Amino acid sequence: MANLNLGRTQFGDPANTGNTLSEAETLALLQEWVPNERLQLHMRQVGAVMKAWALEREGLPESEAHKWWMAGVLHDADWDKFPDAHCRIIIEELERRQIDPAVIRTIASHGPRHFGVEPETSMEKMIYVFDELSGFIHAAALIRPTRYEGMDVKSVQKKLKTPSFAAQVNRDEIADAVNRIEVPLEEILAFIIEKQAAVV
């Protein structure tokens, strides 16, 4: 696997604080950069969960929650076309577009073991938490006849303890991410199940 370490921990220009892409611009970038529809869905699901957490659990205004959503929607934007330069390309694109450094650093924080950027803010910690778990829960939903309907936390926890299920999902990274926040895993799982079920 390519070395994805970004070699830096500061991103963007503080003078651009508050600058974001609109919802339409963000989704247009997603469509342009990510031909894989399954990956698109994952990114939109992470964005939805991020925004819901910002609004409901952090009590942030819509303008701030939009930053959380944008980071979630774009966090894997370069994975399809540039897997060997994952994160680097989308970061450089957002810096070129003069986007808020907080959004860019959050994207850089979604895989600290890969990108070398430790999550510090709540937004950064939560994208690290939600990324792998969102994908895992979606994989669990796909094998159920009723998909998300009726899915419970215990069944997801059982699958997490089954290494052969969704084997590509790194359980150590999930444990590391959850250990960085003061919220029980069960609560996180319930939140993701509820919020991303509506994103199809």
Side-chain angles (χ1 to χ4, degrees):
M1 185 174 177
N3 178 9
L4 301 178
N5 192 295
L6 294 167
R8 58 182 174 128
T9 57
Q10 299 299 314
F11 304 91
D13 184 340
N16 296 327
T17 297
N19 291 354
T20 59
L21 299 178
S22 68
E23 181 175 342
E25 290 169 333
T26 302
L27 294 175
L29 184 58
L30 175 68
Q31 291 285 341
E32 179 186 349
W33 282 42
V34 185
N36 184 324
E37 291 185 359
R38 286 180 298 174
L39 181 56
Q40 276 192 28
L41 175 61
H42 164 68
M43 294 160 70
R44 289 191 293 107
Q45 286 181 326
V46 173
V49 175
M50 285 283 285
K51 182 175 182 177
W53 187 272
L55 292 171
E56 298 177 21
R57 302 299 295 265
E58 303 285 336
L60 296 174
E62 184 72 31
S63 59
E64 288 299 309
H66 178 74
K67 296 178 186 178
W68 286 58
W69 173 81
M70 184 179 161
V73 170
L74 295 179
H75 77 282
D76 279 342
D78 52 15
W79 173 252
D80 245 1
K81 295 184 178 180
F82 309 100
D84 291 340
H86 177 34
C87 231
R88 190 180 307 275
I89 304 298
I90 185 59
I91 283 170
E92 290 173 354
E93 175 69 14
L94 295 178
E95 287 179 326
R96 185 183 69 78
R97 295 187 184 214
Q98 301 182 326
I99 297 303
D100 191 317
V103 174
I104 302 173
R105 196 179 193 283
T106 296
I107 291 173
S109 300
H110 82 265
R113 296 186 186 185
H114 306 287
F115 309 123
V117 182
E118 290 295 319
E120 295 174 355
T121 67
S122 182
M123 180 162 60
E124 293 166 2
K125 290 177 182 178
M126 294 315 298
I127 199 170
Y128 182 32
V129 169
F130 289 144
D131 184 24
E132 290 286 286
L133 281 175
S134 172
F136 186 87
I137 287 172
H138 188 64
L142 289 178
I143 63 169
R144 303 181 73 252
T146 58
R147 297 297 194 256
Y148 285 93
E149 186 179 345
M151 176 184 274
D152 62 27
V153 168
K154 287 185 178 179
S155 69
V156 175
Q157 287 180 299
K158 185 176 180 180
K159 286 182 172 60
L160 272 173
K161 295 175 182 176
T162 307
S164 59
F165 180 79
Q168 77 280 9
V169 174
N170 191 313
R171 272 65 166 177
D172 290 340
E173 290 190 7
I174 289 174
D176 178 50
V178 174
N179 284 339
R180 295 170 186 247
I181 61 173
E182 297 179 359
V183 183
L185 175 61
E186 296 82 359
E187 201 171 317
I188 293 290
L189 294 175
F191 189 87
I192 296 172
I193 291 169
E194 177 190 354
K195 301 304 178 185
Q196 78 177 28
V199 184
V200 293

